Structure formats: C-alpha cells, structure tokens
RNA sequence: GUGGGUGUAGCUCAGUUGGUUAGAGCGCCAGAUUGUGGCUCUGGAGGCCGUGGGUUCGACUCCCACCAUUCACCCCA
C-alpha cells in the first residue's frame, strides 16, 4: 500500500463507530435539554478570522494553522477550533436580534499542524457549546452544569473541574504590570520560552512546566488575587452557585488558557489517566471576542471538549458503551428462483424496519450459516425451491438453535413480535 | 521545531553467533457424502522482512541515511 492517511489523521472504523455515536448522541441530547440548538459551520474560514478571533500571539495562529491560498487568491484556513467560526456566524446572521440569550452547540472536526502524540491529532473532533448575550454568572453556571451533566451521564467519574478567573482587560492590564515587576529581576534565570513570553504574553509564564521556572515563580502573585471587584464578585457568584448545585470543583490559579479571547471565568476538565495531553475539555468566558470580530459588544461563554480524549478517558475508566444491535434476520438462499424470491422478501422486511441480511455471495448453505453466525444474526431462514413452492420455511433461532416451520407470509409479523420481546 | 522507542502476513508477534524455498496464533476463504452456524479437523490465499544505500561469497539479521509510526518536550481539545 503506497498511500496512507496523512500524519495525525485516522479512520474511525465500523467496529468503534458506536462509541462515537454514543458520545455524540448523549451530548446532543443533553444540549437539547438545556435549550441549546445545533449549528454547523464551515470547515474553513478566512485566515483573518482566526488571527483576530483566536489571537495573533497564540501558538495556534503563529505556527499551527493549515493555511493556503485558494484559486481566487484568498487566504483560507482550516478551522483550528470552533468558537471563532460560531462567533462569525453570530455576527453575520444577525443573531443579536434573536431572542436572547443565543445558545448553540456543535460537533466539529478541527485542524492543527502539531506533532502528534497520545490524545493529540492533526485532525481532531470537538463537541462544544457557545452561549451569547448573558454576562451573568448564571450563564457560566448553565454552561458548566451542562458539561457536568453530560460527563456524568456517560458515566465519567473522578474527572476534576478546575476553575479560575482571569479578570477583564482592565484588571489584567494592571496585573500584567505587577507580574512584570515581579519577574523582571528573575528574568535571566527563566527559560528561553519564558523570556519570550515576557514580551508577548507574560500571563503564559505562569503555566511554564520547566522546573527552574517553577522554582523561581514559587511566590509569584496570581491574577486571581488581583482582579477588580466586579470580576471578583462575578467569580464569587459562580462558585457559590456551583457549590449550591453540588457540582464539585477546585480553584486552580494557574489556569490561563492558551487562547487570547478568554475573560473572567475559565475552566478545564483534566484527566490524569490518558497521558500528558490530559485536558479533556477547556472553556471560559469571552466577553470581548464578538466586539473584536466586528460585532457589537456582546458577552459570551463556551467550552470545547475533545472527543478522542474523552474516549480515552472512558477506556481508562472502563466505561462500556452499549453494542450496536445485531441483525434481526439472515436470509439464506439456494438457487436462482429462490434468490429472486428472497430478494423481494428482504426488501419487504427492510421497508418495514427489519434489519435484514441476505446472501449476495452465492455461497453454500453451510457457508451462509457461518456468515450469519459471524454477523450475530438473531434468526435465519433458508429459502430454496421447496420453500418457494410450499410457502413454508424453517425459521431458526440462532441463540438456542431451535427451529420451527412457519408460513413465509407470517414472517414479518413474527419478526416484529420477536423484536418486541427481545429488545 | 527537538529528543527517545519501534518498523517481518489484515492483526498480535517469533526468527538462533549473518547461511539455502521467512514462521506461529488469530482473522479471511474453501472443505470434512449431497440444503443449516458456534466446537474440532484438513487445506488454501496472503510478505520487495518500511525505503534507499553500504559492509560481506552471502543481510530479515551488521552500519548509514531517509520515511513512517509511537511516546515525550512545547502547546492545546
């Protein structure tokens, strides 16, 4: 085989697709219960959207985007995340004049040019929600509780919700000064990356993993301790409400999030079991984003959840997903005339909602039975000339091996009853 | 972009100090008296031993490069 799937992409094969459907269906179901509606957005957008939306200083924009010029000379980029596209759609479709708040969810692929490792691919899948129009802590709580209920409903345990507030632009500007003043005397002892961050985005120095930097920053002032009273109030409310709802969380003052658009509440669901890429879900408030993308000032909050990572976590917790149901019946065939008859019969059954397989390989009866067994068919009927002639056939229950003679006319009714009893 | 591990059948892996037609299990296909599965047995298909170069009389085996894959750094879902 010469052509393989590109690095960082992979096929989701039939034997695991039910796990994906399970997660996606649950998510869509929970979102609907919260009054969120699905939106589908383009796979690619104008590059500028992500530059402005995600932020010029982020790694995503600086080195991870799949960007190309189309034949009309436009710079196009494969979406590296979902929020920017949804925000663009919000503005472009005038959702500001819809009944507020606007609550959307999505199920998308996203693309980032990074080196692959466990839980990280170049094409990956995200489930996410965005809630526009409400600056209230209630909105934060609604989004977080949606996430919580979703994870709970698929059986996730022991996943910790980490919470932080990174304030608004004004308190962040103040804090940046404090932070820089603290770091400046230690700057030459920090790693190269941090020295670079010091200029571009000093906040990010906080989550540096270098042991040397961690030591130097032991007594660093945290943004959470410096946010303005409005932001602090807001955060207090969020915590209070989560507490009152019995949703467990821990405060992690180091969460800063790698995307520029976040303000105030930021949160992550992190796992220790799935390798070093443990962030299963990340999100937060982005009150300045719509405006910076050209809309009128509108608060927003959302999260994105990596499906691959969620599935890894489900594996590690031993959560099993219901298997897809087996075929109701396999129709075996002997001879040309019987085959025609069986094809008609199969079509009739299928049009009535029966899951039906029929031999299309021209195999021996024995081989057909083996195949029916591998398919895990629940019932088998074999049609030959005798059966066409008499209108009667043997119906075999594959789990018990029991056989009974039936009129073929009654097959549909029997199958319907059998399904009711056995489902 | 950087560092480590690994590349032999569809999958999981053996392969002796370099030596003739490269193996196993699972899976796939066919058969075990003529129209009935699971167990068992028999047979079959399927490998440029990741690619290219080098050392050697001789390379799956040793050396180099490249590619792929995987884990990790960075960053993120």
């Amino acid at each position: 085989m010469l052509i393989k799937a590109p690095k960082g992409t992979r096929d989701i094969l039939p034997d695991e697709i039910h796990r994906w459907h399970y997660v996606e269906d649950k998510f869509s179901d929970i979102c609907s219960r919260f009054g969120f509606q699905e939106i589908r957005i383009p796979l690619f957008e104008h590059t500028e959207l992500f530059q402005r939306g995600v932020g010029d200083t982020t790694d995503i924009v600086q080195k991870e985007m799949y960007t190309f010029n189309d034949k009309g000379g436009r710079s196009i980029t494969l979406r590296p995340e979902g929020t920017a596209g949804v925000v663009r759609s919000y503005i472009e479709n005038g959702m500001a004049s819809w009944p507020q708040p606007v609550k959307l969810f999505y199920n998308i692929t996203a693309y980032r040019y990074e080196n692959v490792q466990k839980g990280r691919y170049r094409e990956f899948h995200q489930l996410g929600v965005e809630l526009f129009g409400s600056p209230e802590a209630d909105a934060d709580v609604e989004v977080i509780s949606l996430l919580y209920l979703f994870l709970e409903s698929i059986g996730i345990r022991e996943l910790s919700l980490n919470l932080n507030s990174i304030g608004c632009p004004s308190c962040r500007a103040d804090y940046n000064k404090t932070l820089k003043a603290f770091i400046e005397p230690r700057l030459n002892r920090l790693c190269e990356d941090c020295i670079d961050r010091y200029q571009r985005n000093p906040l990010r120095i906080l989550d540096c993993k270098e042991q040397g930097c961690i030591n130097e920053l032991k007594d660093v002032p945290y943004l959470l301790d410096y946010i303005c009273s409005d932001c602090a109030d807001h955060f207090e409310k969020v915590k209070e409400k989560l507490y009152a709802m019995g949703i467990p969380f821990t405060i992690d003052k180091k969460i800063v999030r790698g995307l520029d658009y976040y303000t105030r509440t930021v949160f992550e669901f992190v796992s220790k079991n799935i390798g070093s890429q443990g962030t299963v879900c990340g999100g937060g408030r982005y009150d300045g984003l719509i405006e910076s993308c050209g809309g009128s000032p509108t608060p927003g909050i959302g999260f994105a959840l990596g499906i691959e990572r969620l599935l890894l976590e489900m594996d590690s917790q031993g959560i099993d997903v219901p298997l897809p149901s087996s075929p109701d019946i396999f129709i075996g065939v002997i001879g040309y005339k019987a085959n025609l008859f069986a094809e008609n019969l199969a079509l009739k059954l299928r049009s009535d909602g029966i899951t039906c397989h029929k031999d299309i390989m021209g195999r021996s009866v024995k081989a057909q039975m083996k195949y029916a067994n591998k398919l895990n068919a629940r019932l088998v009927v074999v049609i030959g000339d005798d059966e066409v002639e008499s209108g009667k056939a043997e119906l075999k229950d594959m789990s018990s091996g029991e056989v009974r003679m039936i009129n073929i006319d009654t097959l549909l009714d029997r199958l319907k009853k059998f399904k009711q009893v056995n489902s």
Side-chain angles (χ1 to χ4, degrees):
Chain A
M1 184 57 182
L2 307 85
I3 300 171
K4 299 205 279 190
K7 185 197 277 277
T9 68
R10 55 180 211 138
D11 305 311
I12 301 160
L13 299 176
D15 67 343
E16 62 167 339
I17 199 69
H18 68 286
R19 305 178 69 228
W20 287 73
H21 286 155
Y22 180 72
V23 164
E24 290 165 347
D25 292 348
K26 270 273 167 18
F27 184 70
S28 150
D29 181 38
I30 298 287
C31 284
S32 302
R33 289 192 225 169
F34 275 77
F36 283 69
Q37 294 182 294
E38 182 170 2
I39 183 171
R40 300 197 181 183
I41 52 169
L43 176 74
F44 56 86
E45 299 270 3
H46 291 289
T47 302
E48 195 190 348
L49 175 68
F50 300 117
Q51 287 168 339
R52 284 165 58 177
V54 177
D56 265 327
T57 65
T58 60
D59 278 15
I60 292 175
V61 170
Q62 289 194 334
K63 50 186 198 194
E64 296 174 0
M65 294 206 301
Y66 277 93
T67 297
F68 60 95
N69 289 321
D70 71 9
K71 293 184 179 184
R74 292 170 279 258
S75 180
I76 295 295
T77 294
L78 268 38
R79 61 188 174 212
E81 53 102 54
T83 302
V86 175
V87 164
R88 192 224 79 235
S89 178
Y90 176 91
I91 298 167
E92 186 170 347
N93 293 292
M95 293 187 203
S97 65
W98 292 9
Q100 299 293 304
V102 173
K103 306 198 288 189
L104 303 169
F105 77 92
Y106 55 80
N107 176 5
I108 59 168
T109 54
Y111 303 85
R112 292 183 200 168
Y113 191 87
E114 299 180 90
N115 263 347
V116 298
Q117 67 186 84
K118 188 173 186 184
R120 190 171 70 191
Y121 304 94
R122 289 183 173 177
E123 178 184 66
F124 58 102
H125 298 74
Q126 288 189 329
L127 301 171
V129 310
E130 312 293 350
L131 191 160
F132 299 101
S134 172
E136 303 296 322
D138 299 50
D140 305 47
V141 169
E142 179 143 312
V143 165
I144 292 169
S145 62
L146 186 160
L147 176 59
Y148 177 78
L149 188 62
F150 167 65
L151 293 171
E152 195 189 42
S153 78
I154 57 174
I156 295 285
R157 299 278 176 276
E158 310 149 12
L159 208 60
S160 61
L161 167 61
N162 298 328
L163 206 61
N164 192 22
S165 174
I166 56 172
C168 57
S170 82
C171 42
R172 210 181 316 177
D174 289 347
Y175 171 74
N176 264 339
K177 283 179 205 150
T178 311
L179 181 62
K180 282 188 149 182
F182 175 87
I183 289 172
E184 211 209 322
R186 303 155 215 259
L187 191 56
N188 56 359
R189 291 195 293 274
L190 296 183
C191 70
E192 269 182 50
D193 287 335
C194 281
I195 291 169
D196 192 38
R197 291 181 186 122
Y198 180 76
Q199 294 303 329
R200 290 200 342 250
N201 194 347
L203 253 185
R204 300 260 296 283
I205 294 177
L206 292 185
D207 63 359
C208 183
K209 311 289 192 299
E210 290 279 333
Q211 196 53 48
C213 295
I214 291 173
N215 292 343
E216 281 303 321
L217 295 171
K218 220 167 51 189
D219 303 314
V220 72
Y222 285 107
L223 175 48
L224 184 58
D225 301 321
Y226 285 77
I227 58 178
C228 64
S229 62
D230 282 356
C231 289
D233 279 355
H234 184 90
F235 194 51
E236 279 309 312
K237 281 187 192 148
V238 172
K239 288 192 293 187
E240 247 176 59
K241 287 161 187 282
L242 288 177
Y243 185 76
M245 295 170 84
I247 296 176
F249 61 89
T250 54
I251 303 298
D252 181 352
K253 297 179 176 183
K254 287 186 190 161
I255 301 178
V256 294
R257 312 259 73 230
L259 285 70
D260 282 356
Y261 51 62
Y262 288 111
T263 57
R264 293 195 163 173
T265 313
V266 292
F267 56 92
E268 296 177 339
F269 267 93
V270 183
S271 165
K272 296 183 189 102
N273 314 320
I274 59 171
S276 70
Q277 304 303 319
T279 308
V280 173
C281 178
R285 185 166 270 288
Y286 45 84
D287 289 343
L289 178 60
I290 291 93
E291 190 175 6
S292 73
C293 288
S296 51
T298 307
I301 179 166
F303 67 76
L305 181 149
I307 301 182
E308 287 86 352
R309 290 181 188 179
L310 180 64
L311 290 172
L312 282 175
E313 178 64 20
M314 288 168 71
D315 273 345
S316 85
Q317 293 194 22
I319 295 170
D320 42 77
V321 171
L323 289 166
S325 59
S326 334
D328 299 319
I329 189 165
F330 179 88
I331 302 178
V333 171
I334 308 159
Y336 186 81
K337 253 172 67 183
N339 192 20
L340 270 178
F341 181 90
E343 273 160 353
N344 270 307
L345 178 61
L347 185 60
K348 207 172 295 167
L349 297 178
R350 287 161 174 163
S351 86
D352 261 287
I354 302 297
T355 306
C356 167
H357 289 240
K358 174 192 158 290
D359 176 69
I360 49 175
M361 293 286 284
R363 285 199 265 229
S364 71
V365 172
K366 192 187 194 89
Q368 292 184 49
M369 290 304 292
K370 284 188 176 184
Y371 181 62
N373 188 56
K374 279 171 206 156
L375 292 175
N376 209 10
R378 309 213 261 181
L379 298 169
V380 169
V381 65
V382 177
I383 308 286
D385 289 345
D386 296 350
E387 285 76 8
V388 176
E389 197 75 25
S390 66
K392 293 184 176 180
E394 284 184 338
L395 183 64
K396 182 165 192 174
D397 183 320
M398 291 295 275
S399 56
S400 66
E402 200 175 286
V403 174
R404 74 165 29 155
M405 189 61 85
I406 62 153
N407 286 319
I408 298 173
D409 295 344
T410 67
L411 185 57
L412 178 59
D413 287 339
R414 286 173 181 280
L415 280 168
K416 283 182 175 169
K417 276 185 201 141
F418 183 87
K419 267 188 97 159
Q420 273 183 351
V421 176
N422 292 282
S423 60

